[in-house]
Structures are given as C-alpha cells and as structure tokens.
Amino acid sequence: MSGLLTTVLRLIILAQLNSRVYSSEDHQRLRRELFIDGEYDRSVRPVRNASKTTLVEMQFFVAQVLDVDERLETFKINAWLTMRWFDEYLVWDPERYNGLTNFKITKDKVWMPDLWLYNNAGSRYEDYTANSICSVYSDGRVVWQSPTILTTHCSMDVTHFPFDYQECVLTFGPWQHGAAEITLNGTGSAERYLRSSGEWEVIGFETVSGREDYVIYEDDTPVPYTFVDYSVRLHRIATYFVFYLIMPCFLISGTTFLSFFLPPESGEKVSLGITVLLSLTVFLLIVAELLPPTDVVPIIGMYYAATMVMVSLSLAMSVVVLNLHHRGPETHQVPAWLRKIVHGKVGMAFMMRRTTTRRDFDARRKRRWKALSSIEMDSLDCSAMNGWDDRMHDSTIPSAPELDTRKQLNSIRSQNSARLREITLLESIREEFRMMREMALEKEKTERFQNDWKQVALVVDRIFMVVYFIGMMVVMIVIVSRFDFR
C-alpha cells in the first residue's frame, strides 16, 4: 500500500514538472518569435501606421510624504507609478502557445515612452524606470509598474507659517515625442497614502492633463506636447511649532509685562528688558533659518518683530521711569500742575498709594524738634551769661593785706577760669545745634523733592504698563486675525 502511494506521488510531481517545461518552452518560443524572428526594434514607436497616436495612460499613487524643505523649496515623495500603452508588434494568439496570455520582461527589451519629471529637483535626472519589469499581454497591452522616490520643486507660500497649506505639483511629460506621437492621459489618487510624517498630512490630490506648444528654435514650427500635472495639497501639523516657537514668545512677552511690577530700587528693570529682547532675537533667527529667503514675511515673523518693538518700547519706558525716580534737588522740583495730576484723579484711577506729602514732612519735623524745644539755644539768657562775665571781670583781686596767703588768690583765679570755660562750651553747643538743625531741614527738603518725583515715577510706570498691555493685546488680535485656521 505504501509503495502504491509513493508511485502516485512521483507521477504527480513528474506531471507538474512536464507542464512547467511545456510552459517554459512556450514562453521561450513566444519571445523568440516576437523579439528575434519578428525583428522587434525597441527604438521605434510600436504602431504600424505612423500617423496613429500612441495613448499612454499614467497613474500616480501617493505612498509617503518623505520631506518638505521650505528653505530649498523642494518636495520629496514616495510614489507608485503605473503606465499602460498598446504595442502593436507584441500581439499573439494564446491558443498557439498553450494558453499563455502574458509574460514579464525587463523594460530594456520593449519600447518605453520617454516620460520625465519636468520639475525635477534632484541632483540629476534619475531614470525612474531603470531596473524595472513590464507585463506584456496577448492583446498588445504593455503595463509598467514601479515604486519610486521623486524630488520636485515646490513654490512655498509661508505667509501663514506654521498654520500654512502647501500645494506641490509634479509635472510629467514626454521629452522627444510630440502630441502627434504620444498622448498622455493621467489619473491617480492619494487614498493609499501612508502617513509617515509628523509635520505634514495630505488633504487633497488632483490630476490635470494638458497640452502646450513648444518652440525650440525661433524659425521652427511650434510643436504641441502633452503633459500631466499631479497636485498634492498638504497641511502642516503645527503642534511642534506652537510649543517650541509661539508659546515661548508669548511667555517671554508676558515676562516683559511683569517688569513693570519691579520697583525701580531693584535696578533690574532695564536688565530684564534687555534679556527678553535678546531671547526674542534668538527665536527670530531660528524662524529665519526654517523659512526660504523670499520677499514674503510670514505672520509669525511679524509677530516676533512686533513683540520686539513692544519690548524695546517697554525698555525705553523703564529708562524714563528710572530717570524720574532718581531725580533730586539738583533738578527742578515737580511742577504744580504735575503734582496735582499725580495726587489727583489720575493717581486714584491707577490705585496708587500716596507717598509722604509736604504736610507729613512738617508734622514729622515738629515731632523731631519737640524734644529740643526745651533747650532752645536762642532763648538762652545772654544777660545771665554776661553777668557771669561781668562778675568775672569785676572781681578784684584782694590786696595782700586783705589775704592771708597766696593760696586764696589762686583759688579765686581758678574759679573764674572754670566759669569762662563753661560759657565757651555752651556757645559751641549752641552752634552745633544750629548746624544740625540746618542740615536736618535740608535733608527733609531733599527727601520731599525725591518723594515727589518718586510718586510721579510710580504713576508714569503704571500708565506705561497699561499702554504696553493694550499694545500687546492689539498685536495679538491683529496677528491671530491674519492666520488661516481652516
């Protein structure tokens, strides 16, 4: 039983091998009759009547968007291309060749339409049909299919970057055969698009077949050529740019707004403004490196430029505020009209606390000198001091007979000298108190002038803060209204 089963399996295998041999022989015989015996010439357009036009049907399928270089304005895509035409010299009867209806052959053996990518952006014109295979059918149809990577020029409109839409066109057409010889008809789709780019997505695909006259030499007759345009419409996914370009700029401009809350005494208002300005310059350079050097200014570039202008204005405002804050008696005092505005409704509108006023300075001065009023040196009884002086001079030295010893005379002299020193010390103290009082009055006057200017600086700083806030809101509204978010 096992021997019989083995014999049957051998017979089946031999039958299959014999059928393959017969099929291979039919295939070889067909190729020999078509290409050798028939003297097939791949350099001649495959029509028996030269006035007949060869119709080439081209299909273009978007496989992957590999790269979109805005600066070089190039578009790189992985596409699946298909071409079909009729070759009148490659027709046979399948019955004569054991039912063989088609076979595969390399493209170097058959006639191929000379279709090229007109707007190629590669380093050289690559033959995208190289090393490919054609399928030849018994009715004369020749089908060529191959995946290829194409790089083409694409005019970029970066006005709405990074919320922009781009449309890249790939134009195919024959290089030598005019419309009287080849008619090109294009179809295709992007339904097979494999999303491989995190930055772009395909939102549209369109095919347009056209015809245009070309004149190579001025004295030549215009020759019409057919072509096909494949338009791929792209939409940029802006998430990356929002987080790494727009949000930092918005936060930096908000940091500039916080500089208005820094007190002038900190000395960091100008430093913060300069730091923010340098940061915006760095981000603007990054944007400039991403975009092509065209005459179109993108809206994000306008936003950065407007923000830099506003930051520069805030820096100038900080300089003005610091100038007002550090003014003293060496400059003129605050004008009456300006003091009235600062201490009036304008100051109340900005909810500014009032610094020390002139009345407060007077009350403070009275309290300060209240302790010294009891030792007012000007009210000293000079006559009493003069009395001491008169008694010192009127005291006559007793004569020798009236005094018993020289010791009593020295005692009286020493008492008069002590009184003289006391009077001299009191006069010095009175002069020191007078000088201290004058210095205190001058200091109070200086403080009063400085506080008046500080109050003006605070109110002006709040006014500048409101102006900066309104300016930034206007800039944001104008910029956002210009973006295309469709």
Side-chain angles (χ1 to χ4, degrees):
M1 185 69 180
S2 59
L4 179 62
L5 181 60
T6 304
T7 304
V8 171
L9 290 176
R10 287 179 179 177
L11 290 175
I12 294 174
I13 293 173
L14 288 174
Q16 291 180 352
L17 290 175
N18 289 333
S19 64
R20 290 181 182 178
V21 171
Y22 295 150
S23 176
S24 177
E25 289 180 353
D26 293 333
H27 190 182
Q28 292 178 1
R29 181 165 57 90
L30 175 61
R31 291 187 58 179
R32 183 172 59 252
E33 292 180 359
L34 291 176
F35 295 99
I36 299 177
D37 298 342
E39 297 182 354
Y40 183 86
D41 189 355
R42 61 181 297 271
S43 63
V44 179
R45 192 165 58 92
V47 291
R48 299 186 182 277
N49 185 359
S51 62
K52 185 178 180 180
T53 303
T54 301
L55 176 63
V56 178
E57 297 176 329
M58 184 176 185
Q59 289 185 327
F60 184 97
F61 299 99
V62 178
Q64 291 175 324
V65 174
L66 301 179
D67 183 36
V68 179
D69 194 328
E70 296 89 349
R71 191 165 185 83
L72 298 178
E73 293 188 293
T74 58
F75 173 57
K76 190 174 183 180
I77 187 173
N78 180 11
W80 299 342
L81 297 179
T82 301
M83 289 189 293
R84 185 178 68 175
W85 65 93
F86 281 90
D87 192 324
E88 296 181 5
Y89 295 101
L90 298 179
V91 179
W92 71 89
D93 184 6
E95 299 296 332
R96 292 180 53 194
Y97 301 96
N98 198 20
L100 183 62
T101 58
N102 67 83
F103 63 89
K104 305 294 188 295
I105 192 171
T106 59
K107 70 100 180 178
D108 297 332
K109 302 296 184 179
V110 298
W111 177 87
M112 292 282 295
D114 60 330
L115 298 184
W116 294 90
L117 178 63
Y118 286 167
N119 52 350
N120 178 54
S123 59
R124 58 180 179 176
Y125 276 85
E126 299 287 349
D127 185 7
Y128 52 86
T129 63
N131 302 322
S132 57
I133 296 176
C134 294
S135 298
V136 182
Y137 294 86
S138 60
D139 58 354
R141 285 179 299 140
V142 180
V143 179
W144 171 87
Q145 302 178 33
S146 178
T148 184
I149 295 177
L150 303 172
T151 303
T152 179
H153 290 286
C154 182
S155 180
M156 300 289 177
D157 182 11
V158 293
T159 303
H160 298 91
F161 175 86
F163 305 98
D164 54 332
Y165 295 82
Q166 304 296 339
E167 185 173 358
C168 298
V169 180
L170 296 94
T171 304
F172 291 89
W175 197 260
Q176 294 290 341
H177 297 83
E181 297 174 312
I182 290 181
T183 299
L184 184 60
N185 184 26
T187 58
S189 70
E191 296 178 357
R192 301 181 184 181
Y193 171 67
L194 304 177
R195 185 170 181 268
S196 59
S197 175
E199 183 180 356
W200 297 94
E201 62 177 347
V202 178
I203 61 173
F205 184 85
E206 184 179 358
T207 304
V208 177
S209 299
R211 179 183 178 131
E212 188 174 356
D213 293 338
Y214 286 91
V215 178
I216 300 177
Y217 297 99
E218 295 181 359
D219 55 347
D220 287 350
T221 303
V223 178
Y225 285 85
T226 58
F227 64 89
V228 58
D229 288 339
Y230 295 103
S231 300
V232 181
R233 186 168 175 79
L234 305 171
H235 173 239
R236 190 192 303 271
I237 302 174
T239 306
Y240 173 85
F241 300 96
V242 168
F243 276 93
Y244 290 97
L245 288 181
I246 297 179
M247 185 177 294
C249 180
F250 180 76
L251 295 177
I252 289 173
S253 60
T255 305
T256 306
F257 181 75
L258 295 178
S259 67
F260 289 98
F261 293 95
L262 281 176
E265 297 87 353
S266 64
E268 297 296 332
K269 294 175 73 69
V270 176
S271 301
L272 180 60
I274 294 176
T275 303
V276 170
L277 194 60
L278 293 176
S279 302
L280 290 175
T281 304
V282 172
F283 279 101
L284 186 59
L285 291 177
I286 294 175
V287 174
E289 291 179 356
L290 294 175
L291 304 180
T294 61
D295 56 347
V296 178
V297 180
I299 298 179
I300 189 173
M302 298 180 184
Y303 174 60
Y304 275 102
T307 305
M308 290 178 67
V309 170
M310 293 303 300
V311 172
S312 301
L313 289 178
S314 71
L315 191 59
M317 294 173 183
S318 298
V319 172
V320 172
V321 170
L322 291 175
N323 180 273
L324 295 175
H325 179 82
H326 292 288
R327 286 194 175 189
E330 62 275 3
T331 60
H332 61 279
Q333 61 180 351
V334 179
W337 62 270
L338 184 57
R339 186 184 296 109
K340 183 178 180 181
I341 293 176
V342 170
H343 295 293
K345 295 182 179 180
V346 175
M348 296 176 60
F350 289 98
M351 295 180 293
M352 297 300 302
R353 60 179 181 83
R354 296 184 61 181
T355 57
T356 307
T357 61
R358 186 187 301 270
R359 185 177 302 175
D360 298 330
F361 274 108
D362 293 339
R364 185 189 301 174
R365 183 179 57 186
K366 290 180 179 179
R367 289 194 302 270
R368 184 179 297 173
W369 291 101
K370 184 176 181 181
L372 299 176
S373 60
S374 59
I375 34 179
E376 180 65 41
M377 301 306 299
D378 293 337
S379 62
L380 289 175
D381 189 0
C382 296
S383 59
M385 295 175 63
N386 293 332
W388 280 101
D389 187 60
D390 293 339
R391 284 193 298 272
M392 180 186 66
H393 291 290
D394 292 342
S395 299
T396 57
I397 299 175
S399 58
E402 296 175 359
L403 296 175
D404 296 335
T405 63
R406 183 177 293 272
K407 183 177 179 180
Q408 294 178 353
L409 179 62
N410 293 335
S411 176
I412 294 173
R413 288 180 177 177
S414 58
Q415 290 179 2
N416 292 335
S417 299
R419 291 171 183 172
L420 181 60
R421 285 196 300 269
E422 290 176 359
I423 294 173
T424 304
L425 179 60
L426 289 175
E427 290 179 350
S428 299
I429 293 174
R430 182 179 63 180
E431 183 66 20
E432 290 294 332
F433 269 96
R434 185 183 63 80
M435 294 178 61
M436 291 175 58
R437 185 172 185 177
E438 291 178 356
M439 292 176 61
L441 291 175
E442 186 66 25
K443 184 178 179 180
E444 289 180 358
K445 182 180 179 181
T446 302
E447 290 180 357
R448 184 169 65 250
F449 285 167
Q450 290 178 345
N451 277 274
D452 287 344
W453 284 115
K454 287 180 180 180
Q455 183 70 24
V456 173
L458 287 175
V459 175
V460 171
D461 195 25
R462 291 298 181 270
I463 295 175
F464 285 164
M465 181 184 68
V466 174
V467 172
Y468 177 81
F469 179 77
I470 295 175
M472 287 302 301
M473 289 296 103
V474 171
V475 168
M476 290 293 297
I477 293 173
V478 172
I479 295 299
V480 172
S481 64
R482 293 175 65 91
F483 275 119
D484 185 7
F485 297 101
R486 292 178 302 171

